[in-house]
Amino acid sequence: MPSLSRGPVWLLPCLCVLVAAGAARGEAVLTLRPAAVVAGPTVRVSDVMELGGGAVETLGPVVVATAAGGSVSVTLDAVRVALAESGANLGRLRLRGVAACAVEVRNLPAPAAAPPTPAPVAAGSPAPAAGATPAPPAADPLGDRLRHRLAGWLGLSPDDHDDLRVTAAADDAALLARPADGTRFRVEPLGRPRLGRVSVRIEERDPEGALTLHTVSVETEREVLAAVATGPIRRGDTFSAANVALRAVTIGREPAGAEAPLRTLDGVLGAEAEVSLRPGTRLVPGHLARPALVDRGGHVTVRVAAGAIELVAEGFAEGDAALGEAVTVRLGEARGPRARTVDAVVTGANEVRVDRF
């Protein structure tokens, strides 16, 4: 690949030596995640950290925090203290990652109630016949079948089917409450399935073969975990566990062009707010300020694709630009009328791409 400059290739052998030395010492590397969701009051090392290197299987169960519900922030210092109290050799551990992990603690579901004890049969009452066939369980309502079909059409995994909520008007609700046994139902959408208002055709065929067609209109919503502002946030503030957390929110049909809510805190914590936000606002990508990866007057690497060949040149940015934004780049050291400039797109830190000269 032609290049107008050479990088400090002498650093590569040094880095390889450092990596090999760390592996030889058998260090266990623990990386704190930006966010985590935990079911239950106990938060363990394996819940908030990526474990790698060395014998780390004994470190995962170490408890770092407890909470009855809501959110809790677990810092690197808290993890270090918990590991020290557990007897771990901190000299053979390498802790890294974000400064604090925002943990959403979900309450565990209550244990299932024990089945009721059968009432004793009164004297003189007829006893159940030996070997009598128990009554069959009640069939699921048609609405449940419709909900699962809609979830499948929307591309939801089976584990997410219960997150979908389907409501209907009173007349249609009566139909959807009917048990789906003794009659064959076929459910088909009228149009493209989506969140919001959906029309569905239901074909009902009774045991004698008679066919009845129903058209119902339902409203579909989905409950998901999303990043939500937990306090007032001003433009330029840094998102942290103190002002943002994962919360259960209900999403339906969004306006055309609306951004989907952020479903994770990865990339949120530590970023700056592009706009001021009120408590309870669902965060979308547009709320996060994109950091400038190219600075005005800064040195940049320019990559130019010429067929199957990639050319590399050096230049200087003539403005600030974030990832994916356009920026004008001056090639070489020449200035004034002799300067050669090109329009480029930012592809990384101090790197741009030119599609055409």
Side-chain angles (χ1 to χ4, degrees):
M1 178 186 301
S3 175
L4 301 182
S5 64
R6 292 189 177 182
V9 296
W10 54 270
L11 286 175
L12 185 58
C14 298
L15 293 175
C16 294
V17 170
L18 291 176
V19 172
R25 289 195 303 268
E27 285 185 339
V29 181
L30 290 77
T31 305
L32 189 62
R33 303 186 181 101
V37 178
V38 178
T42 303
V43 183
R44 306 181 186 275
V45 168
S46 58
D47 295 325
V48 298
M49 306 200 79
E50 297 287 346
L51 308 179
V56 298
E57 62 274 3
T58 59
L59 306 179
V62 175
V63 177
V64 294
T66 56
S71 58
V72 61
S73 178
V74 177
T75 64
L76 270 177
D77 288 338
V79 175
R80 188 176 289 106
V81 170
L83 291 173
E85 292 177 349
S86 71
N89 183 358
L90 297 184
R92 302 184 65 85
L93 301 180
R94 182 182 175 193
L95 275 62
R96 65 183 186 183
V98 298
C101 175
V103 182
E104 182 74 15
V105 181
R106 296 182 180 179
N107 293 323
L108 289 173
T117 303
V121 179
S125 299
T133 303
D140 293 334
L142 176 60
D144 282 354
R145 178 181 295 187
L146 172 62
R147 179 168 56 84
H148 287 292
R149 292 297 301 273
L150 286 171
W153 288 326
L154 290 170
L156 304 184
S157 68
D159 292 338
D160 294 334
H161 282 197
D162 291 338
D163 296 338
L164 189 66
R165 297 178 179 177
V166 179
T167 55
D171 293 343
D172 292 337
L175 170 65
L176 298 181
R178 290 173 50 186
D181 65 338
T183 304
R184 182 179 179 183
F185 290 97
R186 181 181 178 185
V187 181
E188 295 292 341
L190 297 177
R192 182 174 60 88
R194 60 188 176 186
L195 292 176
R197 180 68 60 178
V198 178
S199 294
V200 181
R201 182 178 66 188
I202 299 176
E203 298 180 1
E204 177 185 4
R205 191 177 298 276
D206 63 20
E208 285 72 31
L211 178 64
T212 304
L213 297 180
H214 308 273
T215 299
V216 300
S217 182
V218 296
E219 190 74 26
T220 58
E221 298 176 323
R222 189 182 175 199
E223 186 177 86
V224 300
L225 282 178
V228 176
T230 58
I233 299 174
R234 295 177 300 179
R235 181 179 181 182
D237 285 352
T238 300
F239 292 112
S240 67
N243 57 23
V244 66
L246 291 177
R247 293 283 188 267
V249 301
T250 300
I251 58 175
R253 184 179 179 182
E254 302 290 340
E259 294 183 287
L262 294 169
R263 303 283 304 281
T264 175
L265 295 181
D266 292 342
V268 175
L269 300 180
E272 292 185 357
E274 177 71 13
V275 295
S276 297
L277 302 172
R278 296 180 178 179
T281 302
R282 298 182 302 181
L283 269 63
V284 299
H287 292 153
L288 277 62
R290 295 191 297 174
L293 299 182
V294 169
D295 299 324
R296 180 182 181 86
H299 178 271
V300 295
T301 299
V302 184
R303 301 184 182 276
V304 185
I309 301 176
E310 183 182 64
L311 305 178
V312 180
E314 305 299 328
F316 298 89
E318 296 195 345
D320 299 334
L323 182 67
E325 291 183 343
V327 63
T328 300
V329 175
R330 175 170 51 86
L331 299 176
E333 301 287 347
R335 297 176 179 271
R338 299 181 58 187
R340 175 73 183 276
T341 61
V342 293
D343 294 329
V345 176
V346 179
T347 57
N350 300 320
E351 287 195 358
V352 300
R353 184 190 73 247
V354 176
D355 293 325
R356 54 184 295 186
F357 276 106

